[in-house]
Amino acid sequence: MTSLILIGLKRAFQQTPGTTTSFQNISIIIPFKNEQENIPDLLNALKRLDYPSDKYEVIFVDDNSSDDSTKFLNQNLMDNYKVVLASDKKYPGKKGVIDEGIQNALFDIIAITDADCEPESHWLKSISEKISDRNDIVFGYSPFKEEKTLINKISSFENFRNFILYFSSVGLGIPYSATSRSIAFRKNIYMKLNGYSNTLETLSGDDDLFIREAVKQKLKIATFRYGNDLVYSKASKSFRDYFKRKSRHLKTSHHYLLKHQILLALWHSVNIFSLYSIVFISLSEWFLLSSVVKMVLDLTIVQKVKSKLSHNFKCYEVIFLQPVYETFLIINFINSIFRKDKWK
């Protein structure tokens, strides 16, 4: 299974030239609600985008914020920026906010990120290049900004491991998820999928359930990772917030296509069993071997991929973080069954 993951990643990272070298017109949609603390950093990142200002617009969509987010934005708008109020949402939660932005978009290509994110300078260039290559939906990597806290290290590693699966699944031709922190598609694709109409099982799912509907329609999904096109985001500041976020995300996984649920269940079951097989060492020394082999394979995957995704996890960190990642998968899955979901 590890070899399949590596094959999938190799294919996902194989970058082929687009059909055009021109800059495509792009509308960036940024939904927000009470993000006054994060918007200054976002605006600074947007100013650093290496892309002609007349070739893109930024649409901030306010979901009835109660702080001064909109006031601050209006005081710092560029010529190609605008703020829209999501006063009459077609869909609940974040999906309705994004949809409001898409309805107000001038351009055909829609790029989405979040208000607590900071895209690198070539983000739009990579989107333009990859979506020009006859792809319907493209998404990139969105790491967490590193901080010297335990919850940040755990969240960053988990995010990294999740994206390994996202990217490799695309490379293997079985895409199942992405992230709305760095995703793009053409407006006609959004209309072809009836917007978010078929993804209303949960409040979240504006990314992975959207991918699910695209898979049903046999649309072409691709990843991009050329250089300087990461979209950095902020990890949870506390374990309480972390578990709340993960519960919301994993709740969506209950609505994946059956084949994806089976594959993910098989992958995680094998990994979790291999991790905990060491507790059965009294029955047979082979259980120790299983645990050791798993750790070696985990280290192999991380070492081969970390630099590609701008990480530098040390071996001793992986030895600690991998078991935590597997254990938290169990906890988060259980929480996703019982915890109620809500958008801010």
Side-chain angles (χ1 to χ4, degrees):
M1 294 180 74
T2 299
S3 60
L4 281 176
I5 294 294
L6 292 174
I7 290 172
L9 286 171
K10 183 178 180 180
R11 292 176 180 173
F13 288 140
Q14 284 178 341
Q15 305 293 347
T16 56
T19 57
T20 177
T21 56
S22 64
F23 294 100
Q24 302 295 299
N25 292 324
I26 300 176
S27 291
I28 303 174
I29 310 299
I30 304 177
F32 72 93
K33 184 171 185 176
N34 299 330
E35 295 283 0
Q36 184 179 0
E37 177 184 347
N38 296 315
I39 285 176
D41 289 336
L42 168 63
L43 290 176
N44 287 331
L46 292 174
K47 290 177 182 177
R48 294 191 292 268
L49 288 175
D50 186 13
Y51 211 77
S53 60
D54 63 332
K55 290 292 185 178
Y56 76 96
E57 65 170 349
V58 183
I59 305 174
F60 298 93
V61 191
D62 181 8
D63 190 19
N64 298 293
S65 296
S66 58
D67 65 2
D68 289 330
S69 297
T70 298
K71 179 180 178 181
F72 182 83
L73 277 171
N74 283 324
Q75 292 172 344
N76 293 274
L77 288 181
M78 306 290 284
D79 291 341
N80 55 334
Y81 295 8
K82 62 182 174 182
V83 180
V84 174
L85 179 62
S87 56
D88 188 23
K89 295 191 297 184
K90 182 178 179 180
Y91 308 111
K94 184 180 177 182
K95 295 170 188 171
V97 188
I98 295 174
D99 177 75
E100 193 77 25
I102 293 174
Q103 302 308 322
N104 282 274
L106 292 177
F107 302 134
D108 180 47
I109 297 176
I110 304 296
I112 299 173
T113 191
D114 289 335
D116 63 347
C117 291
E118 297 175 37
E120 289 189 313
S121 59
H122 287 185
W123 181 53
L124 291 185
K125 279 186 175 181
S126 291
I127 288 175
S128 178
E129 177 76 9
K130 201 67 178 180
I131 210 165
S132 295
D133 196 23
R134 301 179 185 176
N135 293 302
D136 298 310
I137 301 174
V138 301
F139 67 92
Y141 182 46
S142 179
F144 289 133
K145 297 176 71 173
E146 293 185 1
E147 298 177 4
K148 295 181 179 180
T149 63
L150 178 59
I151 187 59
N152 178 271
K153 188 67 74 171
I154 291 172
S155 297
S156 295
F157 185 78
E158 178 185 67
N159 183 65
F160 168 71
R161 290 304 311 234
N162 286 342
F163 265 94
I164 286 178
L165 290 179
Y166 297 168
F167 274 57
S168 63
S169 68
V170 171
L172 293 171
I174 48 174
Y176 72 93
S177 189
T179 174
S180 60
R181 302 196 300 270
S182 180
I183 192 170
F185 45 82
R186 292 189 181 276
K187 195 182 293 188
N188 69 307
I189 294 299
Y190 182 76
M191 301 305 175
K192 181 176 181 178
L193 296 177
N194 296 315
Y196 294 119
S197 297
N198 299 318
T199 67
L200 300 180
E201 296 96 326
T202 66
L203 282 178
S204 56
D206 51 281
D207 37 31
D208 41 9
L209 294 188
F210 189 71
I211 294 292
R212 180 194 69 186
E213 296 305 303
V215 170
K216 289 181 182 179
Q217 296 293 327
K218 296 181 171 52
L219 299 182
K220 190 175 180 182
I221 301 166
T223 61
F224 60 85
R225 181 69 182 104
Y226 293 103
N228 294 325
D229 55 14
L230 301 176
V231 175
Y232 284 92
S233 184
K234 294 181 179 179
S236 299
K237 296 291 186 181
S238 66
F239 279 96
R240 180 179 180 181
D241 182 53
Y242 162 81
F243 285 120
K244 182 172 67 175
R245 282 193 188 187
K246 295 309 301 180
S247 168
R248 184 171 64 240
H249 180 255
L250 281 179
K251 191 182 293 290
T252 307
S253 69
H254 302 319
H255 304 285
Y256 287 175
L257 294 177
L258 180 59
K259 65 179 180 180
H260 294 148
Q261 292 188 46
I262 292 173
L263 287 172
L264 287 170
L266 178 62
W267 168 257
H268 290 306
S269 295
V270 169
N271 277 277
I272 291 171
F273 175 78
S274 298
L275 170 67
Y276 286 107
S277 62
I278 194 171
V279 303
F280 301 108
I281 191 174
S282 60
L283 300 177
S284 172
E285 294 180 355
W286 287 105
F287 287 110
L288 173 61
L289 179 61
S290 173
S291 185
V292 171
V293 169
K294 170 188 163 42
M295 187 54 66
V296 170
L297 293 176
D298 288 336
L299 285 167
T300 299
I301 292 176
V302 172
Q303 291 301 315
K304 284 184 174 293
V305 182
K306 66 178 185 180
S307 61
K308 188 69 176 178
L309 299 180
S310 294
H311 285 290
N312 188 30
F313 295 111
K314 305 294 190 299
C315 286
Y316 69 87
E317 291 178 321
V318 178
I319 292 172
F320 165 72
L321 291 169
Q322 186 65 37
V324 172
Y325 164 64
E326 307 284 1
T327 302
F328 277 19
L329 272 174
I330 302 172
I331 297 173
N332 291 324
F333 183 79
I334 294 173
N335 280 343
S336 71
I337 297 174
F338 299 103
R339 187 187 289 269
K340 289 187 176 181
D341 192 17
K342 70 176 183 177
W343 155 246
K344 300 227 176 180

